[in-house]
């Protein structure tokens, strides 16, 4: 469990973060959203143990980051800043071993841990490559690898998909999801579709203060409208229509539209319940469910609504 209590940071007379109190459960992926200048970077640097708060408290696994054993607690956190802290003249393997040793990882276990992280981040074939020779996408992977090399409880990722091409973004999305098995992940990004498709829950900050927290569907309902989702269904036209009409009659969705494309039905619907309930209804209706995801435009509209002054 990661918890902050009334976390506040002043730069002179300017308050960058004010009374930020959040809790993040173990093995949760949480998206951190806010406009430029909202206080995200300051909050992330405090959570990473790189910046002391003016007041307030940060706890990692029940231990105070500002307490007597702050150094031990700090090593329970891994951080990828927006510019990965890489040493270009080192090999990937050498760099990761160096990063593990810096963070007090048991020296006898370093080689095995490096191999584990190389496999996790799909860097094995580049293990003995000099970092300066890596593409941008693999440099980002190396940055994530250094953030997790010491097996932290919390991994903070600041813009991990910045500058990646569409294929690299898909690969990075899978990598971030894979991290969830061993770590709690806090993800900051301006790439709203990535946040939507990767995170379990959102934290939205405005003018240094938390203005909303919850899943995309939760926030959408709080603002007075149902979350919009896209589904890709396989089945006959009559079966698809029957299943959607039944879902609407059961108040699982309030509206929907559909079109046939590439041998499947592309459906847009407005949720009145959890997406897992709608998925179950479609499957029980004899349909194949290839995909169910929030509409990117829905998160964009939520973001604009929550961050406007």
């Amino acid at each position: 469990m990661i918890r902050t209590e009334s976390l506040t940071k002043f730069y002179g007379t300017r308050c960058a973060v004010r009374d930020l109190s959040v809790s993040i459960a173990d093995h949760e992926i949480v998206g951190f959203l806010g406009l430029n200048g909202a206080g995200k970077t300051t909050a992330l640097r405090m959570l990473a143990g790189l910046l002391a708060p003016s007041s307030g408290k940060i706890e990692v696994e029940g231990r105070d980051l500002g307490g007597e054993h702050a150094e031990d607690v700090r090593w329970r956190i891994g951080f990828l800043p927006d510019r990965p802290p890489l040493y270009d003249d080192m090999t990937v393997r050498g760099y990761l071993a160096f990063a593990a040793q810096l963070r007090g990882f048991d020296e006898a276990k370093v080689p095995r841990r490096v191999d584990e992280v190389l496999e996790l981040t799909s860097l094995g074939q580049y293990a003995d490559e000099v970092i300066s020779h890596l593409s941008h996408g693999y440099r980002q992977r190396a940055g994530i690898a250094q953030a997790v090399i010491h097996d932290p409880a919390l991994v903070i990722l600041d813009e991990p998909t910045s500058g990646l091409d569409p294929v690299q973004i898909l690969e990075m999305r899978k990598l971030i999801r894979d991290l969830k098995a061993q770590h709690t992940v806090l993800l900051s990004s301006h790439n709203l579709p990535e946040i939507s498709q990767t995170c379990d829950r959102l934290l939205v900050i405005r003018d240094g203060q938390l203005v909303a927290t919850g899943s995309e569907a939760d926030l959408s309902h709080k603002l007075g409208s149902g979350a919009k989702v896209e589904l890709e269904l396989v089945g006959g036209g009559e079966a698809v229509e029957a299943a959607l009409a039944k879902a609407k009659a059961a108040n699982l969705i309030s509206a929907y539209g559909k079109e046939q494309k590439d041998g499947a039905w592309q459906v847009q619907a407005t949720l009145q319940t959890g997406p897992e309930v709608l998925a179950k209804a479609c499957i029980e209706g004899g349909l194949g469910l290839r995909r169910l995801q929030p509409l990117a435009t829905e998160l964009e509209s939520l973001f604009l609504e929550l961050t406007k002054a």
Side-chain angles (χ1 to χ4, degrees), residues 8 22 68 95 109 121 124 137 158 164 210 231 237 244 255 259 266 284 288 293:
T8 299
V22 300
E68 181 180 355
Y95 169 67
K109 298 179 180 178
T121 55
D158 191 3
L164 301 186
L210 186 69
L231 303 91
L244 293 173
E259 63 174 342
Q266 309 297 321
E284 289 179 345
Q293 66 185 49

Side-chain angles (χ1 to χ4, degrees), residues 157-208:
L157 305 177
D158 191 3
E159 300 291 345
T161 60
S162 176
L164 301 186
D165 64 35
V167 173
Q168 292 172 329
I169 287 175
L170 289 174
E171 293 172 345
M172 185 62 70
R173 185 188 304 164
K174 180 182 182 303
L175 171 55
I176 293 170
R177 287 174 176 162
D178 288 345
L179 292 178
K180 180 179 178 179
Q182 300 295 329
H183 312 278
T184 299
V185 180
L186 180 61
L187 170 63
S188 174
S189 177
H190 287 100
N191 189 331
L192 297 184
E194 281 310 296
I195 291 287
S196 177
Q197 296 178 45
T198 306
C199 298
D200 303 314
R201 187 162 58 94
L202 307 177
L203 303 174
V204 185
I205 190 173
R206 183 182 69 213
D207 297 330

Side-chain angles (χ1 to χ4, degrees), residues 59-209:
E59 288 186 352
V60 179
E61 300 176 312
R63 302 172 69 190
D64 186 358
L65 183 57
E68 181 180 355
H69 301 288
E71 192 68 20
D72 293 337
V73 180
R74 189 175 293 116
W75 292 140
R76 299 299 295 144
I77 302 166
F79 182 42
L80 173 70
D82 56 351
R83 295 183 180 180
L86 305 177
Y87 290 97
D88 284 349
D89 57 347
M90 299 181 74
T91 66
V92 174
R93 185 187 301 278
Y95 169 67
L96 294 180
F98 175 64
Q101 291 163 2
L102 278 180
R103 289 161 182 158
F105 198 82
D106 186 339
E107 191 167 348
K109 298 179 180 178
V110 166
R112 180 177 178 181
R113 178 59 181 168
V114 169
D115 286 340
E116 290 173 351
V117 172
L118 287 171
E119 181 178 357
L120 172 67
T121 55
S122 299
L123 281 168
Q125 61 181 317
Y126 299 103
D128 299 311
E129 192 81 32
V130 176
I131 289 175
S132 61
H133 296 170
L134 298 179
S135 68
H136 177 70
Y138 280 99
R139 289 174 66 88
Q140 289 292 91
R141 288 175 180 269
I144 291 180
Q146 67 78 30
V148 303
I149 190 66
H150 54 301
D151 195 22
L154 171 65
V155 178
I156 301 172
L157 305 177
D158 191 3
E159 300 291 345
T161 60
S162 176
L164 301 186
D165 64 35
V167 173
Q168 292 172 329
I169 287 175
L170 289 174
E171 293 172 345
M172 185 62 70
R173 185 188 304 164
K174 180 182 182 303
L175 171 55
I176 293 170
R177 287 174 176 162
D178 288 345
L179 292 178
K180 180 179 178 179
Q182 300 295 329
H183 312 278
T184 299
V185 180
L186 180 61
L187 170 63
S188 174
S189 177
H190 287 100
N191 189 331
L192 297 184
E194 281 310 296
I195 291 287
S196 177
Q197 296 178 45
T198 306
C199 298
D200 303 314
R201 187 162 58 94
L202 307 177
L203 303 174
V204 185
I205 190 173
R206 183 182 69 213
D207 297 330
Q209 295 181 288

Side-chain angles (χ1 to χ4, degrees), residues 229-287:
V229 294
E230 285 184 322
L231 303 91
E232 186 172 352
L233 301 173
V234 179
E238 291 183 0
V240 170
E241 180 62 32
L244 293 173
K246 185 176 180 180
K248 184 176 181 181
N251 204 33
L252 305 185
I253 57 177
S254 62
Y256 65 89
K258 70 181 191 302
E259 63 174 342
Q260 195 168 23
K261 184 178 179 181
D262 299 329
W265 290 91
Q266 309 297 321
V267 178
Q268 293 187 1
T270 302
L271 283 177
Q272 297 299 307
T273 186
E276 68 282 353
V277 179
L278 178 59
K280 182 180 178 182
C282 291
I283 293 169
E284 289 179 345
L287 304 177

